[in-house]
Amino acid sequence: MTLTLERPVEAPPVEAPAPQPAPAHEAEPALHDILIIDYSGDLERTWATMILASTAGAMGAKCRVFVTFWGLQVFVKDERRITGQNWMQKLLAFMQRPGISHRKLSKMNFLGMGPWMMGKLARQYKVSSPKELLEVAQALGVEFMPCQMTMDMYGLTRDDLVEGMAEPVGAATVIGLMQEGSSPLFI
Amino acid sequence: MPATLTENELENITAAKVIDARGAACPGPLLEAKKGMGTVPVGSIIEVWSSDPVTKSDIGAWATKVGHEFLGHIAATGYDRVFVKRAK
């Protein structure tokens, strides 16, 4: 690969810089880690998260997904119906069914008709479901890190969450990763 | 990701593995390619069939980043044949 940098030069430099010895091999551009903050539990956003996470994994990027607030609902095992320790947590789980296969659209949900049509179209056009993409992403080494604070707030235990999740972390870990140069993506 | 071979050269390639990902939508074919690449030895070539028109550029981008050699693609009827050589 040849890289040519063109800069407008008004006046030639008084002192020409000494010619640099050609590097033995071209330096590989540093690849950033990818950090997705999965905040929303909506079907459409969950889908985007899973597509990008699995693709990042396939491209050999180190990809981490911080799962927080409504996003954490996605990572509760599909078969869990009521989660939580107290009545309010249980009622919330009842009102909003957790699990990756039970996501709703944020708009045009129409009592489940929207997601049903989306699912039907996706199967017709052979688009992988969020659940399938999650499995692929995990197999490709994408790390899903649950937010400890959200787990506490919903009363979720590690056992409520799908297999293969990373250790729960906090916001400081996320900010730390950004400071270290991870490319952040808030979905 | 410039193709390194001409269409004629690509026509003469016998791939170590042909992955038929026709019908699958983004990112399916890329994920299939990634999976298939792990099953062939270094130096061999895989051929991915995809009816998704973005697969050729996606696989090119992937190969460049991961360090495989993107050889190019040939248009077939209703799908693309994309060739990548496993480089590591």
Side-chain angles (χ1 to χ4, degrees), chain A residues 31 55 58-59 125-127 140, chain B residues 23-25 27 30 34 62 65-66:
Chain A
L31 292 181
T55 305
M59 290 188 72
Y125 287 91
K126 301 246 175 76
V127 180
L140 292 173
Chain B
L30 172 65
K34 151 90 186 165
W62 162 72
K65 278 280 175 285
V66 180

Side-chain angles (χ1 to χ4, degrees), chain A residues 5-43:
Chain A
L5 271 178
E6 288 186 2
R7 282 193 193 141
V9 179
E10 269 98 35
V14 182
E15 204 175 305
Q20 296 290 316
H25 57 89
E26 281 182 33
E28 298 257 325
L31 292 181
H32 295 287
D33 291 355
I34 311 283
L35 174 65
I36 298 175
I37 300 169
D38 183 8
Y39 176 80
S40 158
D42 296 331
L43 172 63

Side-chain angles (χ1 to χ4, degrees), chain A residues 53-126:
Chain A
S54 57
T55 305
M59 290 188 72
K62 177 70 209 165
C63 179
R64 301 178 184 86
V65 182
F66 178 62
V67 181
T68 186
F69 278 91
W70 292 268
L72 197 61
Q73 296 285 330
V74 176
F75 291 86
V76 172
K77 289 176 181 138
D78 263 340
E79 63 275 12
R80 289 288 150 100
R81 185 61 194 91
I82 303 296
T83 54
Q85 316 299 325
N86 60 43
W87 70 268
M88 221 187 274
Q89 291 165 341
K90 286 176 184 171
L91 187 59
L92 269 175
F94 172 75
M95 285 155 52
Q96 192 177 42
R97 182 166 189 181
I100 195 164
S101 302
H102 308 122
R103 297 295 89 210
K104 292 175 177 173
L105 289 169
S106 67
K107 293 189 192 101
M108 310 293 168
N109 193 60
F110 287 113
L111 297 171
M113 215 168 105
W116 178 80
M117 289 194 290
M118 281 292 292
K120 193 155 174 65
L121 284 172
R123 278 191 296 279
Q124 191 180 334
Y125 287 91
K126 301 246 175 76

Side-chain angles (χ1 to χ4, degrees), chain A residues 145-157:
Chain A
M145 313 181 296
C147 165
Q148 182 66 59
M149 174 274 283
T150 310
M151 285 177 68
D152 294 344
M153 195 177 74
Y154 284 130
L156 295 172
T157 62

Side-chain angles (χ1 to χ4, degrees), chain A residues 163-186:
Chain A
E163 301 297 325
M165 299 281 286
E167 287 296 311
V169 296
T173 304
V174 175
I175 299 296
L177 287 166
M178 287 185 205
Q179 287 177 312
E180 286 163 22
S182 281
S183 296
L185 195 55
F186 188 93

